[in-house]
């Protein structure tokens, strides 16, 4: 299925859930990552629209799990971001509880897309996220996003560094950008193989 086929009414917003996330019958792909890393932007880029998931310059904007039904075949879940230092500890703990509860109790969850900032060295909070997925036996796809901000000649070295730090296979890490067409087709290929019946 091409990106274009998805645009124009095939994406349905199911709601924003700050507490319990309603059970869905369709396979689900979750997007996780630090606050402001670009989760909502990546969802918009993948769906070929600027308007579906709300993008913001203010970290911590997405404070609930937002669900989008795609092509009546699967669901995208935009998870609240973690690791933003400026929010109170209690709020961070609440987000952590929501995300960890979600990861541990989602029967149709077939892939967790963990977005990390391609410009930065491996970060502890991202390691924790990846390990939470592994503990829950959930397949992980790491998208090293904002790759457009990394000099071309530094890209492969930076991706290799991230891959090594988290012991990821070549299939498990993709260089990505929401502002430039980098990694979009590769990401769709991984998502499709994860949600295929
Ligand atoms: P929260 O919901 O607050 O956790 O943030 P988020 O992870 O959903 O990030 P969001 O998509 O709102 O993007 C945060 C900022 O990064 C925005 O200003 C985006 O325009 C910018 N951004 C996101 N992805 C990219 C990218 O691939 N390249 C560049 N250059 N900027 C990006
Ligand atoms: Mg967001």
């Amino acid at each position: 299925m091409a990106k274009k086929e998805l645009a124009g009414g095939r994406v349905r917003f199911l709601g924003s859930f700050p507490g319990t996330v309603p059970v869905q019958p369709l396979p689900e792909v979750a997007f996780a990552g630090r606050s402001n890393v670009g989760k909502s932007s990546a969802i918009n880029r993948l769906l070929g629209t600027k308007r579906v998931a709300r993008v913001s310059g203010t970290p911590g904007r997405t404070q609930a799990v937002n669900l989008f039904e795609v092509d009546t075949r699967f669901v995208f879940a935009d998870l609240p971001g973690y690791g933003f230092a400026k929010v109170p500890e209690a709020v961070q703990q609440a987000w952590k509880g929501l995300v960890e509860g979600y990861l541990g109790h989602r029967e149709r969850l077939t892939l967790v897309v963990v977005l990390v900032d391609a410009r930065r060295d491996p970060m502890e909070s991202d390691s924790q996220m990846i390990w939470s997925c592994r503990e829950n036996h959930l397949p992980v796809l790491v998208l090293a996003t904002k790759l457009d901000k990394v000099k071309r000649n530094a890209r492969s070295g930076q991706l290799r560094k991230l891959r090594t730090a988290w012991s990821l296979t070549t299939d498990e890490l993709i260089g990505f950008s929401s502002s430039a067409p980098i990694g979009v087709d590769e990401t769709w290929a991984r998502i499709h193989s994860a949600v295929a019946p």
Side-chain angles (χ1 to χ4, degrees), residues 39-40 54 61-62 78:
K39 297 173 293 296
S40 302
R54 195 158 153 196
R61 169 68 76 190
T62 311
D78 188 3

Side-chain angles (χ1 to χ4, degrees), residues 35-41 56 60-62 146 148-149 178-179:
S35 289
N36 218 230
V37 72
K39 297 173 293 296
S40 302
S41 301
S56 164
R61 169 68 76 190
T62 311
K146 304 193 183 178
D148 57 290
K149 296 275 198 185
S178 298
S179 347

Side-chain angles (χ1 to χ4, degrees), residues 3-193:
K3 178 182 75 181
K4 281 198 187 75
E5 290 171 48
L6 290 166
R10 295 230 187 182
V11 182
R12 193 161 68 95
F13 180 56
L14 297 178
S16 188
F17 306 98
T20 308
V21 188
V23 172
Q24 295 299 319
L26 296 170
E28 195 157 295
V29 177
F31 291 76
R34 292 173 63 82
S35 289
N36 218 230
V37 72
K39 297 173 293 296
S40 302
S41 301
I43 289 174
N44 288 334
R45 163 60 88 167
L46 289 166
L47 297 177
T49 169
K50 284 195 162 61
R51 290 166 299 150
V52 178
R54 195 158 153 196
V55 173
S56 164
T58 314
R61 169 68 76 190
T62 311
Q63 299 189 12
V65 176
N66 289 320
L67 298 181
F68 306 91
E69 186 189 87
V70 183
D71 207 31
T72 67
R73 292 202 314 146
F74 50 91
V75 169
F76 276 1
D78 188 3
L79 303 185
Y82 50 78
F84 184 59
K86 285 188 192 154
V87 303
E89 178 65 21
V91 177
Q92 284 213 38
Q93 286 306 320
W95 289 359
K96 207 170 168 221
L98 176 63
V99 171
E100 284 177 0
Y102 168 89
L103 290 179
H105 302 97
R106 213 63 193 153
E107 274 190 23
R108 298 303 315 269
L109 187 56
T110 50
L111 182 66
V112 182
V113 180
V114 179
L115 284 98
V116 302
D117 192 325
R119 297 170 296 186
R120 305 187 70 161
D121 285 343
M123 296 186 71
E124 179 58 26
S125 55
D126 295 324
S127 308
Q128 281 174 14
M129 184 68 212
I130 291 165
W131 277 106
S132 293
C133 293
R134 287 179 175 153
E135 277 165 13
N136 287 294
H137 306 287
L138 294 164
V140 174
L141 170 63
V142 176
L143 289 190
T145 192
K146 304 193 183 178
L147 197 62
D148 57 290
K149 296 275 198 185
V150 177
K151 282 194 187 126
R152 276 171 200 276
N153 64 6
R155 288 178 188 174
S156 61
Q158 184 64 9
L159 294 179
R160 199 176 318 117
K161 192 194 280 181
L162 296 174
R163 194 174 278 132
T164 305
W166 293 313
S167 307
L168 298 163
T169 64
T170 30
D171 277 358
E172 288 176 321
L173 183 130
I174 296 175
F176 190 87
S177 170
S178 298
S179 347
I182 304 174
V184 176
D185 293 346
E186 252 179 297
T187 302
W188 265 126
R190 283 281 287 117
I191 290 172
H192 282 143
S193 62

